[in-house]
Amino acid sequence: EAEVRDMLGLADGGRVYDLFDALMRGEAGAALDLLAELHRSGADPAVVLQDLLELVHFLTRIKIVARAADDAPVSDTERERARAMAGGLSMSALARAWQMLLKGLAEVRAAPSDFDAAEMVLVRLAYAAELPTPSEIVARLGDGGALAPSGAVRAGPVATPRPPTAPTPSGGAARPRTALAAEPAPRPDSPPSASASAAPRSFEEAVALFAERREGVIYAHLVNDVHLVRFEPGQVELRLGAGAPATLANRIGECLTAWTARRWVVGLSNEPGAPTLRQSRDAAAASKRAAALDHPLVKAALQAFPEATVEAVRESPAAADVPETPPDDDAPMPEGDDDP
């Protein structure tokens, strides 16, 4: 059976179920690994997408008519697995997957590299799995709420009154401060997400949460364009750099509120704040490099090899065992070491 399947370029039916399950869970990396595995075993990328289309059609039929699973010419294992998958997916998710796969199949057939095109189709499908459906978008717009990640509560910009001036620590001239806060207000008809994350206890943990939730654009702005002024759980004050959009504070508040099931207020200030995370990381790397260049062993190595350069500095658990001074060339070799 395996030899005939490889000869015809077909995909293993069980692995197709695994692939579609990974796509619907938003696991793009796992989906690409499965596609590569099927491709190595001889499956044609276009055939894999056709199998996914057939699976979506099968699940949709089961969703509408439950007894459709009994009439399908599939194994008992696949039949039970299809019932479970159909019960866990909404009709809108299946319809969206059908449209994306149908359009993607045409792209794969027309692309110079069918495998690369199939990968891009799967990436789009995996990342679309967590997007709100059209009906959810219409409902949120009708309620006047802001669009946010799936399971999010409504949020909107609210002006927060602040003193017109703030004295400096040294008692000098007062510095004006302005703030716009995003105060997400929970919707009574929207329960918290079942997969709520723990509230971050520091700004670094909050930034890491955006990377974990695959909010790449916001994460990049948080690392490169945001200066932290004040942080405490539930309330953040930031100064935006030139590269950050004006709506960034509102989006941060919406996402943190949705992910942690508690209200977050994100305000803007014109105080200088701390360096950006990128600046802090670059400064730490520069400090480590300077310390490495100042180490006696490194100095000796660069002196012995003038054309050598220090390319990277890495932490090593054995660093404590390295002597602080270069070894004495005239010191006797330990017994048993014939080759210096």
Side-chain angles (χ1 to χ4, degrees), residues 128-162:
E130 295 183 351
L131 294 177
T133 63
S135 59
E136 292 173 344
I137 295 175
V138 172
R140 294 178 192 175
L141 291 176
D143 293 340
L147 295 181
S150 181
V153 294
R154 182 172 57 186
V158 180
T160 301
R162 291 186 179 272

Side-chain angles (χ1 to χ4, degrees), residues 117-192:
E119 281 193 328
M120 294 303 297
V121 173
L122 297 189
V123 168
R124 291 202 303 266
L125 190 56
Y127 276 84
E130 295 183 351
L131 294 177
T133 63
S135 59
E136 292 173 344
I137 295 175
V138 172
R140 294 178 192 175
L141 291 176
D143 293 340
L147 295 181
S150 181
V153 294
R154 182 172 57 186
V158 180
T160 301
R162 291 186 179 272
T165 60
T168 60
S170 60
R175 178 183 302 154
R177 294 178 55 176
T178 59
L180 291 176
E183 295 191 5
R187 290 176 57 180
D189 58 342
S190 297

